[in-house]
Amino acid sequence: MLVKIGGKTIGFGSAIAFAAAAAPPATPQKVTGPVAVYWMSAATSSGFGFGGMNANGGKKPSMGDIMSMMRGGSGRAIHQLELQLGSSLKATAPEANHLPGVGTPLPLLTPVQAPASTPEESTETQPEIKDPPKARILIYWGCGEHAGPGQPYVLDFSKIMAGQALPRIPYVAIRHQNPPSPGRYATYGEWPNSKSRDRQMPASLLGDHQVKGNYSPDIKFTLPPGQDYMPPLLLDAAGKSPAGGTILKWQAIPSATGYFATLFGASGESGGDGTTTIVMWSSSAVETFAGGGLLDYLAPGEVRRLIGQKLIIPPSTTQCTVPVEVATAAKSGIVSMIAYGDEANFADPPRPADPKMPWNISWTTKVRFKSTTGLILGMPGGAISAEADEARPQQQEQPPKKKKGGLFDTLKGAVSPF
């Protein structure tokens, strides 16, 4: 079919395209707010350095407890919860409480001194080395019987201290979420705090939640089945591959969006000049220095992106072999692993379907989840199926926050990366 426009005869399809191009662009929907932003960060922790020492009510752990947590995902597990509320409204005497469907109200206290502001989203940057340690690092990556081509990547600090230019460290940029903080909002409240008590921790997050205070709108949302604390991540490293690699196995967590594992160890030997050899490995299929940022919450969309880049293990996978070269280079090592969880996001009022109507957001809420564990390489766990009945999560207040630092800080704190 032909039509005539401006004295010219053109096809019907071309006429439609011409009309669309000539039409004025659609006006974007006007969006204001939100007045208040609320985040709930829920973690399940188990294994070495996570669920053992304090999960028994502060009592001295038994030898069985210690051996259990060294084996990984067996025995005890704890729940940790962090609540953070930021608002553009000011209050001379800030007061706010989180009212879970079942349990004691959780007071959100405003810190007396506000730390430096952090943006809501940030991208992890190339690691910096300010004070090089007297060591060399062997970096391995990938699951398999043997380490792949080009491994290990060697970072020799003795050469750097002698004047050699710092080589580029293999690295993949990670986009992180940053919850509300005092520096970004007129008023801020958080839990846990100085008024926290272990017994305040809700045993379950399911059901109705309310946040009431004098510096934000009333916030109400409901978490349905499937949006609770994640199950413990049960990790087993008892098996050996035919070539001698260490087989890591874990139970599938239905709500997991992906998995990631690292190993930090040492050769147990020092060079003639006292140089220590550090061994690092990650489950990433691509060459990378796996910093602490990968062992924390990540948005589901970012996890999908990193699965596409083969940096994160897909949720359908439940096994990864640490190459024999890693086990040979590291006489001992600590394996740390995370199962990334999904998110629940809420906003009030809902976004109008008509783009001509403004969306004046009163509040938004994000609930995010993760499950972490760790074990000492060479300390076998029992059968995974037998461990599931033992791993009954217990409640515990959120541990002190740990500052994310550069490469040297990562090395110093690698024994307890979470």
Side-chain angles (χ1 to χ4, degrees):
M1 178 178 179
L2 300 178
V3 295
K4 186 175 289 187
I5 297 180
K8 295 183 177 180
T9 301
I10 60 176
F12 182 68
S14 300
I16 293 177
F18 179 85
T27 303
Q29 188 174 40
K30 182 180 180 181
V31 179
T32 65
V35 176
V37 176
Y38 190 56
W39 283 35
M40 291 178 62
S41 300
T44 301
S45 302
S46 62
F48 179 75
F50 310 109
M53 288 300 183
N54 297 313
N56 56 358
K59 299 177 182 179
K60 184 177 179 180
S62 66
M63 182 56 67
D65 290 334
I66 294 174
M67 294 301 293
S68 176
M69 71 177 178
M70 291 174 72
R71 288 196 298 265
S74 62
R76 302 181 183 275
I78 59 174
H79 287 157
Q80 300 164 326
L81 183 65
E82 191 169 10
L83 311 176
Q84 293 162 293
L85 172 64
S87 175
S88 60
L89 304 179
K90 293 184 178 180
T92 54
E95 184 177 323
N97 287 279
H98 179 115
L99 289 77
V102 177
T104 307
L106 309 177
L108 306 174
L109 295 192
T110 299
V112 176
Q113 293 183 340
S117 174
T118 57
E120 185 168 332
E121 292 186 356
S122 60
T123 300
E124 195 173 335
T125 56
Q126 178 77 10
E128 295 181 1
I129 305 174
K130 297 180 180 178
D131 302 302
K134 200 169 187 180
R136 70 182 190 127
I137 303 178
L138 308 181
I139 300 177
Y140 294 87
W141 60 93
C143 302
E145 291 261 30
H146 292 281
Q151 299 190 42
Y153 176 92
V154 180
L155 191 59
D156 195 332
F157 290 103
S158 63
K159 294 181 180 180
I160 296 170
M161 295 175 72
Q164 183 186 77
L166 177 65
R168 178 172 177 79
I169 299 172
Y171 192 73
V172 176
I174 310 297
R175 293 195 290 264
H176 293 285
Q177 303 170 310
N178 296 315
S181 62
R184 293 209 316 269
Y185 293 92
T187 313
Y188 168 83
E190 65 182 13
W191 189 93
N193 48 57
S194 59
K195 291 187 177 180
S196 303
R197 296 188 301 275
D198 289 352
R199 65 177 179 272
Q200 290 179 311
M201 176 80 75
S204 172
L205 303 179
L206 299 180
D208 297 332
H209 294 260
Q210 294 186 53
V211 179
K212 291 180 173 290
N214 62 2
Y215 60 91
S216 78
D218 286 354
I219 298 173
K220 297 181 180 182
F221 59 96
T222 300
L223 292 177
Q227 293 182 343
D228 202 351
Y229 297 107
M230 294 179 69
L233 181 56
L234 305 179
L235 181 63
D236 180 275
K240 288 287 185 180
S241 69
T246 302
I247 301 175
L248 301 178
K249 292 183 179 180
W250 58 93
Q251 95 291 7
I253 296 181
S255 57
T257 58
Y259 302 98
F260 183 76
T262 65
L263 178 143
F264 184 95
S267 67
E269 302 175 357
S270 297
D273 59 353
T275 299
T276 300
T277 298
I278 297 170
V279 180
M280 301 183 71
W281 167 86
S282 75
S283 57
S284 168
V286 294
E287 181 181 12
T288 185
F289 170 80
L294 277 163
L295 299 173
D296 203 354
Y297 298 97
L298 288 180
E302 179 68 354
V303 172
R304 288 192 296 270
R305 183 182 76 88
L306 296 176
I307 289 176
Q309 292 192 6
K310 298 184 178 181
L311 186 71
I312 286 178
I313 299 173
S316 57
T317 302
T318 57
Q319 180 174 314
C320 172
T321 300
V322 181
V324 63
E325 290 83 0
V326 177
T328 301
K331 303 305 179 184
S332 62
I334 296 174
V335 176
S336 304
M337 187 170 182
I338 182 170
Y340 304 103
D342 207 346
E343 283 183 1
N345 291 281
F346 307 90
D348 185 73
R351 185 168 198 153
D354 185 355
K356 296 180 181 179
M357 294 182 62
W359 186 21
N360 302 314
I361 307 173
S362 177
W363 56 262
T364 62
T365 292
K366 180 185 295 294
V367 186
R368 56 184 186 164
F369 306 90
K370 69 175 180 179
S371 185
T372 57
T373 192
L375 57 77
I376 295 180
L377 193 67
M379 295 292 295
I384 291 179
S385 59
E387 291 178 321
D389 292 334
E390 299 177 8
R392 295 187 178 94
Q394 300 190 12
Q395 298 178 31
Q396 179 175 306
E397 183 178 318
Q398 182 82 0
K401 298 178 184 178
K402 295 193 176 181
K403 182 179 178 182
K404 293 179 184 177
L407 174 59
F408 192 33
D409 295 323
T410 301
L411 299 180
K412 290 191 294 184
V415 171
S416 184
F418 296 109

